[in-house]
Amino acid sequence: MATINFGGVEENVVTREEFPLEKAREVLKDEVIAVIGYGVQGPGQSLNMRDNGFNVIVGQRKGKTYDKAVQDGWVPGETLFEIEEALERGTIICFLLSDAAQIELWPTVKKYLKPGKSLYFSHGFGVTYKEKTGIVPPSDVDVFLVAPKGSGTSLRRLFVEGKGLNSSFAIYQDASGNAREKCIAMGIGVGSGYLFETDFYKEVTSDLTGERGTLMGAIQGIFAAQYEVLRANGHSPSEAFNETVEELTQSLMPLVAENGMDWMYANCSTTAQRGALDWWKPFRDATKPVFEKLYNSVKSGEQAEISITRNSQADYREKLEEELKELRESEMWKAGSAVRSLRPERS
Ligand SMILES: NC(=O)C1=CN([C@@H]2O[C@H](COP(=O)(O)OP(=O)(O)OC[C@H]3O[C@@H](n4cnc5c(N)ncnc54)[C@H](O)[C@@H]3O)[C@@H](O)[C@H]2O)C=CC1
Ligand SMILES: CC(=O)[C@](C)(O)C(=O)O
Ligand SMILES: [Mg+2]
Ligand SMILES: [Mg+2]
């Protein structure tokens, strides 16, 4: 493993150089990898593994997603099965249902976890919150996770472009003595770039914080706040949207991604730099209490509880869709849709 210094702290990272694809194929050559669930991570991971030359099958209940799997080239009766049949055939069971749905399917999955098989997750959720989920794996199977740090959609897109997404990995239970090798091999197989080691608890608490915070929740909150202030002061929707979102995603964030915040700042005017350097700290100070509240709510299990309760209701998809529609139909995102349509490459 490579030891890399992250801002003064040394951490171990697995690289593709030390664990090349050929090695991953060798480690998993006798395994049948059964991807259970074909939502967002399922397609990304299974297609990448298939293209990487692994022995992969998909288990999905009949319906729209099953049809999507057929469209993606999975063949019923050969590489695509009903969930129980895939569980029976698989030796590495990739439990890629939504975290809430895993609770309902767990008793079925457990039945097929014969000694020597492996149980694979992409989130530390199920076993960390075992009091709430009931997910307690038998002691004679390997249990590990590879959590791509991004949407399954980007995992696939980047793979197709010849790039990779970083993932974290963790071993929860090593019954065979080979859990670590298998886990890393899976990480390489699903198309990860670098693999960062963590444990199930740290993965789930950081992930739940991140998606509720700067990755998804906080970013929408801060966009909405600025947009509302601009609108209240007489700016047009397009001006408010451009100055809140479009410039960030189209121009500035790609620069941050490439070379960091200071470099993005350095490529803006000195007027902008002066202002941004003066204002970032007040924003940090104003939001930090909210992040602390969020982290505590994750740590106490409250966020897991909410996620389980809400996403287990019969109409959870419709409810989520209703709220997404509300966002989509807010003035800000309607303005966004119009602004996007005016991008030179789209018009
Ligand atoms: N969405 C993403 O990009 C990411 C997800 N993860 C993790 O990956 C895992 C899978 O998440 P997603 O792909 O988002 O899941 P998802 O919400 O897209 O659901 C996956 C599949 O579960 C099936 N399903 C739902 N309820 C079911 C039930 N009761 N019985 C049988 N099948 C059912 C759906 O048909 C769907 O095909 C989760 O642990 C999640 O936290 C990790 C990183 C990113
Ligand atoms: C995409 C990802 O990593 C998230 C935001 O944590 C998730 O989809 O759960
Ligand atoms: Mg995540
Ligand atoms: Mg997540």
Side-chain angles (χ1 to χ4, degrees):
M1 259 191 327
T3 303
I4 295 181
N5 187 318
F6 292 94
V9 179
E10 307 241 298
E11 294 182 49
N12 291 326
V13 175
V14 177
T15 67
R16 284 203 262 196
E17 288 75 59
E18 73 184 271
F19 209 105
L21 189 54
E22 300 71 55
K23 182 169 170 189
R25 285 204 200 103
E26 178 61 28
V27 170
L28 301 179
K29 69 177 189 306
D30 297 325
E31 307 280 355
V32 178
I33 302 163
V35 172
I36 307 300
Y38 206 73
V40 181
Q41 281 297 316
Q45 296 194 23
S46 60
L47 292 170
N48 289 0
M49 283 193 285
R50 185 178 73 184
D51 291 351
N52 270 334
F54 293 82
N55 187 8
V56 190
I57 61 173
V58 171
Q60 170 65 33
R61 59 183 176 181
K62 290 261 166 65
K64 232 171 68 194
T65 352
Y66 184 93
D67 300 341
K68 180 179 183 289
V70 175
Q71 276 167 26
D72 287 348
W74 300 100
V75 183
E78 280 178 36
T79 51
L80 176 61
F81 301 95
E82 289 282 350
I83 289 178
E84 289 213 30
E85 173 135 30
L87 286 168
E88 167 80 44
R89 289 171 181 252
T91 58
I92 297 182
I93 307 299
C94 303
F95 204 7
L96 296 183
L97 296 194
S98 76
D99 300 298
Q102 288 180 14
I103 298 172
E104 191 190 320
L105 198 72
W106 172 246
T108 309
V109 171
K110 198 174 163 189
K111 263 195 332 212
Y112 292 96
L113 287 176
K114 299 283 175 297
K117 285 199 183 190
S118 304
L119 178 61
Y120 166 103
F121 292 90
S122 284
H123 204 0
F125 197 103
V127 296
T128 300
Y129 300 114
K130 54 179 181 288
E131 281 81 18
K132 301 178 198 299
T133 65
I135 298 180
V136 180
S139 60
D140 44 17
V141 300
D142 291 346
V143 183
F144 46 81
L145 72 76
V146 173
K149 293 289 119 183
S151 164
T153 306
S154 352
L155 183 72
R156 180 63 182 162
R157 279 189 191 166
L158 289 167
F159 178 85
V160 170
E161 288 168 24
K163 300 179 190 162
L165 204 61
N166 293 332
S167 300
S168 54
F169 74 98
I171 320 298
Y172 181 73
Q173 194 166 278
D174 183 3
S176 68
N178 293 325
R180 192 183 170 82
E181 274 223 311
K182 278 192 226 166
C183 177
I184 295 172
M186 287 292 294
I188 300 292
V190 301
S192 309
Y194 291 91
L195 287 153
F196 299 87
E197 186 158 12
T198 184
D199 60 44
F200 274 55
Y201 173 78
K202 288 234 169 67
E203 194 285 328
V204 70
T205 45
S206 60
D207 192 86
L208 293 180
T209 302
E211 66 203 17
R212 281 156 183 70
T214 59
L215 304 179
M216 296 169 69
I219 193 88
Q220 164 60 20
I222 207 165
F223 283 170
Q226 174 169 306
Y227 183 88
E228 284 167 19
V229 170
L230 287 169
R231 289 287 289 133
N233 284 282
H235 297 270
S236 69
S238 69
E239 186 163 66
F241 187 84
N242 277 326
E243 211 52 62
T244 302
V245 182
E246 188 74 355
E247 179 170 340
L248 180 74
T249 58
Q250 294 306 106
S251 161
L252 304 183
M253 272 299 146
L255 298 180
V256 177
E258 200 178 319
N259 246 332
M261 192 64 86
D262 66 299
W263 192 71
M264 183 270 267
Y265 280 17
N267 281 282
C268 291
S269 66
T270 48
T271 308
Q273 288 178 52
R274 184 66 269 134
L277 290 165
D278 288 342
W279 278 91
W280 78 262
K281 288 177 185 165
F283 279 109
R284 177 197 57 193
D285 297 345
T287 56
K288 201 166 171 185
V290 187
F291 285 103
E292 270 156 356
K293 189 170 164 199
L294 162 61
Y295 193 82
N296 287 332
S297 175
V298 167
K299 204 168 145 186
S300 71
E302 182 184 37
Q303 289 303 305
E305 185 68 44
I306 293 172
S307 171
I308 291 170
T309 316
R310 299 288 297 279
N311 292 335
S312 301
Q313 285 163 14
D315 59 349
Y316 78 97
R317 280 275 169 209
E318 291 76 15
K319 284 274 154 56
L320 287 173
E321 181 43 44
E322 255 169 48
E323 287 175 68
L324 295 181
K325 182 162 179 268
E326 208 180 298
L327 263 187
R328 186 161 63 241
E329 292 184 351
S330 65
E331 186 196 276
M332 177 168 75
W333 288 108
K334 279 208 297 215
S337 165
V339 168
R340 288 194 297 276
S341 73
L342 297 176
R343 285 183 196 153
E345 72 276 14
R346 290 201 187 181
S347 48

